[in-house]
Amino acid sequence: MEKTQMAMLKLVLLGPPGAGKGTQAKSLSEELGLAHISTGDILRQAIQLDSALGKEAKHYVDKGELVPDGLVTKMVIERLKRPDAKRGFILDGFPRNIKQAEDLDSFFAQEGYSDYKVIYLDATEKTIIQRLGGRMICKKCQAVFHMTNMPPKEGSRCDFCKSELYQRQDDREETVKYRLSVYAQATKPVVEYYARQGRIMEFDADRESSVVLKEMLQGL
Ligand code: ADP
Ligand code: ZN
């Protein structure tokens, strides 16, 4: 594909928690010059800043529950309307249920975005639990590390901005199990929704992230 066409790509990334959506979305956005829109990152940042959105969302995010559709959908649509996103984007963490998928389709129809693609990263439960269990996040820049797969160079400090790393409240084992059940119940039907539209490109995300990235770039 031509570079100019690549820059207009509209992508939706789906998959269970721990499949590597955040890592892959970041790499894809850098490779292809797309705006990376991560609902999880936006919400966690709002929580850290203790903004009005953060105050409303905290309770749901900590428990691994979905934040109410109205809040999240509005937040995503506002973000998609910004000029950088008009030049191509990758949505990471949205839509997470059928209602969100339908509302996103209405917005896309309104904008004339009929040619968006959906990447589905599938991973086994064993991989998911291993990845989420060791995951550490930078308090400041949100960079993601893993105690065994991708350890930070200096103890528990971020390689990029040297801030402190922390474990997400929702990455604790009990909450991970709950998030997997939310995924199975609310989000898995979204995969089928897009499959019916013939938009899904599926990748096996149990493999090392560089291998998955290479395959995705070839597939696009
Ligand atoms: P993961 O994919 O690892 O589960 P995310 O960082 O995408 O994590 O999301 C973390 C939390 O943020 C979710 O458990 C949920 O509380 C909230 N959240 C993120 N995206 C959405 C969404 N589209 N709708 C509702 N809640 C969301
Ligand atoms: Zn950092």
Side-chain angles (χ1 to χ4, degrees):
M1 208 183 267
E2 297 286 322
K3 193 97 189 168
T4 47
Q5 274 176 292
M6 283 301 224
M8 291 296 292
L9 273 179
K10 297 176 265 311
L11 301 176
V12 172
L13 198 52
L14 286 182
K21 295 189 299 295
T23 308
Q24 300 296 2
K26 186 166 180 287
S27 305
L28 285 173
S29 69
E30 285 164 2
E31 289 280 338
L32 305 171
L34 308 172
H36 174 198
I37 306 177
S38 158
T39 50
D41 282 356
I42 299 173
L43 291 168
R44 277 185 294 279
Q45 203 146 40
I47 292 170
Q48 293 230 336
L49 295 172
D50 206 25
S51 67
L53 171 66
K55 285 194 176 78
E56 283 198 77
K58 181 172 172 33
H59 153 93
Y60 301 99
V61 173
D62 283 351
K63 288 207 296 192
E65 269 172 27
L66 295 186
V67 173
D69 294 335
L71 277 180
V72 181
T73 304
K74 182 164 165 269
M75 172 182 106
V76 168
I77 288 179
E78 276 169 13
R79 181 65 189 87
L80 283 169
K81 285 182 174 163
R82 300 226 308 250
D84 63 330
K86 298 222 165 192
R87 293 191 295 270
F89 57 81
I90 178 155
L91 265 181
D92 159 15
F94 188 94
R96 250 181 165 85
N97 61 29
I98 293 288
K99 173 81 171 82
Q100 293 179 6
E102 288 172 350
D103 287 343
L104 184 65
D105 266 342
S106 311
F107 173 74
F108 281 172
Q110 195 184 306
E111 297 293 307
Y113 293 172
S114 56
D115 56 345
Y116 69 95
K117 294 181 180 168
V118 180
I119 293 179
Y120 171 42
L121 295 177
D122 201 11
T124 57
E125 195 161 319
K126 188 165 162 251
T127 306
I128 294 169
I129 300 205
Q130 195 270 345
R131 286 186 187 157
L132 299 182
R135 177 156 80 176
M136 300 290 283
I137 313 279
C138 173
K139 278 203 165 135
K140 195 167 168 208
C141 76
Q142 319 251 0
V144 181
F145 299 87
H146 189 281
M147 293 332 270
T148 51
N149 304 356
M150 224 197 296
K153 293 196 190 93
E154 265 177 61
S156 61
R157 302 239 150 230
C158 174
D159 288 1
F160 311 104
C161 73
K162 306 287 171 213
S163 302
E164 220 182 302
L165 304 180
Y166 75 104
Q167 180 180 43
R168 278 168 47 174
Q169 173 99 3
D170 62 340
D171 275 350
R172 292 186 311 185
E173 204 177 326
E174 327 79 77
T175 318
V176 166
K177 296 235 165 79
Y178 185 65
R179 278 159 66 204
L180 287 173
S181 73
V182 171
Y183 175 79
Q185 203 225 334
T187 313
K188 201 66 207 293
V190 176
V191 178
E192 281 125 41
Y193 172 92
Y194 287 128
R196 282 196 295 277
Q197 294 186 2
R199 294 185 193 272
I200 295 261
M201 305 171 66
E202 182 173 342
F203 300 92
D204 169 8
D206 271 346
R207 299 165 304 162
E208 208 205 301
S209 55
S210 60
V211 177
V212 181
L213 176 64
K214 201 167 155 220
E215 207 175 274
M216 287 190 297
L217 287 169
Q218 277 164 356
L220 290 167

